[in-house]
Amino acid sequence: MKNKTGLLLLIFLVLTHSSFAQQIDSQAPEATATEAELSFRDIPYLEKAFIDVAPTDRKDGILVGKLGVDGGNKAMILALTQEIADNKYGNFDSFLIAHKGKLLFESYYRRGRIDLPHPQASATKAYTSLALGRAIQLGYLSMADLDKPLVDFLKNLDPTKFVDGVEKITLHKALTMRSGIRISKENREEFEKTPALLKGQKQVQVYLEHSIPITSDSQRFKYQFDPILVMQVIDAVVPGTAKDFIKNELLDKMGITNYGWETDVSGLPSSGSRSSMTSRNMVKWGTLVINKGKWNGEQLIPEAFITKATSRLLYTGDDEVHYGGKDVSNQGYGYFWWSADLKVGNKNYFGVSAQGGYGQIITLIEELNLMVVTTGHDNNIPYLQIIAERILPAFIK
């Protein structure tokens, strides 16, 4: 009994003197009124990390459970969390895990706040893709339209001024970053000096007038401004504006009210970056996708579109796997969603992810019914390698 008491005391001391405490009885960190007004870069770091192995039901549409009870090896995840809190990897802001439809783990570090929308960078592209899918679900477009010339949907253009080959640009090509449009940086900077030239569909007109000719050679994967084309089509085909459509038909449906989504020079919602979401809202986007386009039983996006969006429609090569490592390979791309094989032992698990620079990532492993959400401000962290090496083993029986 004496030895047992001593062991319990030792465990207590380790936990209470750790750089993080399992703050079971405390509240997740919220932004102060002052912090809410600051730019993200000016948000002060948390004094200590917040770790929750049994996330609170905040009545926000997210089901919750308990790590280790509803899935996952609690000790393995907490060991990783300790390393994140100790800054072993770099500047994480949040790290959440959902499994089988329940949020089982929630943590915040440094600039992370549960109620503060975090800049999403290029994860915005993935949300733009899903907005197009919503337009298809409601009948403003069809799946067959994905293979039609994109300019067919934009009625305010002057085709007599287009470069050759514009008809080769389909929605499918734009969604896979293969529009083939090539405009020099100098030309783009020159256009941007006169914003009036880029208002509304004039933005597309300028691109299609000043690009090199569109050919099969130019229509190779290039990570660029193709989401702009997709947002222009959304705005053209839906009733009202793309901004109102996204709010009413996607964000409101999922109960996402605390967010930011900036406006592009065209006057449309920014499509390639510049949205902000809380980490829990990222969980909602991931839930929509892992549930094949359903939210609370309602089909918001066609399953066929989700399948396309999250398929490895093309390989982008392993020369530079974003946030990868030794266990991440076969990087691919769907409709603004990345994919890769994550290796555990002798088996590969197919992972799909919305990715934003510096660590804004929603990773889905359908085979394990697993979602990992991270936010951060560090572009050198091997986020996907960490998932493969440290998180997947905790959920594989």
Side-chain angles (χ1 to χ4, degrees):
M1 177 63 73
K2 190 173 182 179
N3 289 339
K4 185 175 180 181
T5 302
L7 179 60
L8 289 173
L9 178 60
L10 176 62
I11 292 172
F12 173 78
L13 290 173
V14 169
L15 286 175
T16 55
H17 285 83
S18 170
S19 62
F20 73 87
Q22 262 181 245
Q23 301 178 41
I24 296 172
D25 296 323
S26 63
Q27 296 294 318
E30 297 185 354
T32 65
T34 299
E35 289 172 349
E37 298 298 322
L38 296 175
S39 68
F40 174 73
R41 291 184 179 183
D42 294 328
I43 301 295
Y45 279 11
L46 294 173
E47 292 184 5
K48 62 180 178 179
F50 173 82
I51 311 298
D52 198 344
V53 296
T56 301
D57 183 357
R58 298 176 69 90
K59 310 300 181 184
D60 57 0
I62 295 176
L63 299 178
V64 297
K66 295 182 178 180
L67 182 66
V69 175
D70 295 303
N73 183 308
K74 181 176 174 181
M76 292 172 70
I77 297 301
L78 286 178
L80 170 61
T81 303
Q82 174 72 71
E83 293 174 9
I84 292 173
D86 288 343
N87 206 27
K88 176 179 178 180
Y89 298 103
N91 293 317
F92 273 82
D93 292 321
S94 72
F95 163 37
L96 295 81
I97 301 174
H99 181 55
K100 295 183 178 179
K102 293 181 179 180
L103 182 64
L104 304 186
F105 179 79
E106 185 171 21
S107 59
Y108 296 92
Y109 319 81
R110 298 167 186 85
R111 294 180 182 146
R113 307 290 192 272
I114 193 169
D115 62 339
L116 191 65
H118 195 292
Q120 293 293 287
S122 284
T124 306
K125 294 176 173 67
Y127 310 147
T128 297
S129 166
L130 298 179
L132 185 79
R134 181 60 177 154
I136 293 174
Q137 179 67 33
L138 292 175
Y140 301 123
L141 290 167
S142 69
M143 289 295 292
D145 286 336
L146 295 173
D147 294 314
K148 293 180 181 178
L150 182 143
V151 293
D152 284 1
F153 307 102
L154 304 177
K155 306 302 183 184
N156 299 329
L157 304 179
D158 181 357
T160 65
K161 297 180 179 179
F162 292 167
V163 298
D164 291 341
V166 165
E167 72 283 351
K168 298 178 185 292
I169 306 173
T170 61
L171 274 168
H172 175 80
K173 290 286 188 179
L175 284 160
T176 52
M177 293 291 192
R178 294 181 294 167
S179 70
I181 295 174
R182 298 290 185 268
I183 298 176
S184 69
K185 181 181 178 182
E186 292 74 21
N187 277 349
R188 288 196 68 193
E189 290 175 347
E190 192 62 32
F191 303 147
E192 289 166 2
K193 290 178 182 177
T194 313
L197 291 176
L198 302 173
K199 292 298 181 185
Q201 292 184 22
K202 291 179 185 177
Q203 184 180 44
V204 181
Q205 182 75 43
V206 166
Y207 289 175
L208 298 183
E209 283 185 29
H210 293 88
S211 172
I212 65 171
I214 310 301
T215 66
S216 56
D217 187 58
S218 75
Q219 285 194 306
R220 295 182 181 182
F221 179 81
K222 182 176 175 61
Y223 201 68
Q224 59 169 13
F225 48 78
D226 288 5
I228 286 172
L229 305 177
V230 175
M231 187 63 76
Q232 287 277 0
V233 171
I234 294 171
D235 189 69
V237 303
V238 302
T241 66
K243 178 181 178 180
D244 289 342
F245 177 78
I246 292 170
K247 177 185 181 298
N248 297 334
E249 292 297 340
L250 267 182
L251 298 168
D252 285 355
K253 293 278 187 182
M254 294 189 287
I256 296 176
T257 57
N258 184 15
Y259 68 95
W261 202 313
E262 295 184 35
T263 301
D264 187 44
V265 65
S266 65
L268 277 58
S270 182
S271 53
S273 61
R274 299 168 63 205
S275 70
S276 300
M277 299 283 164
T278 67
S279 300
R280 280 198 170 213
N281 285 343
M282 293 171 73
V283 170
K284 291 184 177 185
W285 285 107
T287 299
L288 177 65
V289 173
I290 208 166
N291 286 341
K292 303 296 186 183
K294 283 187 176 181
W295 182 262
N296 285 341
E298 180 183 0
Q299 195 78 46
L300 297 186
I301 298 171
E303 182 174 345
F305 184 86
I306 294 291
T307 298
K308 281 264 193 181
T310 58
S311 292
R312 188 158 41 201
L313 298 178
L314 62 147
Y315 286 88
T316 59
D318 284 355
D319 292 339
E320 185 183 352
V321 178
H322 299 301
Y323 309 121
K326 64 182 178 63
D327 299 315
V328 185
S329 63
N330 295 322
Q331 180 177 258
Y333 206 66
Y335 285 170
F336 300 155
W337 285 76
W338 292 92
S339 58
D341 291 335
L342 308 182
K343 187 178 181 181
V344 181
N346 295 319
K347 181 172 180 178
N348 284 324
Y349 292 85
F350 183 66
V352 174
S353 55
Q355 293 186 13
Y358 294 86
Q360 329 326 314
I361 305 175
I362 306 168
T363 302
L364 308 174
I365 312 293
E366 183 179 358
E367 184 174 348
L368 299 175
N369 201 345
L370 181 69
M371 179 196 321
V372 179
V373 166
T374 63
T375 60
H377 54 284
D378 194 328
N379 222 27
N380 296 314
I381 297 174
Y383 296 97
L384 295 182
Q385 175 61 31
I386 291 170
I387 291 173
E389 188 174 347
R390 303 296 299 278
I391 299 175
L392 294 193
F395 288 86
I396 297 171
K397 294 181 180 179

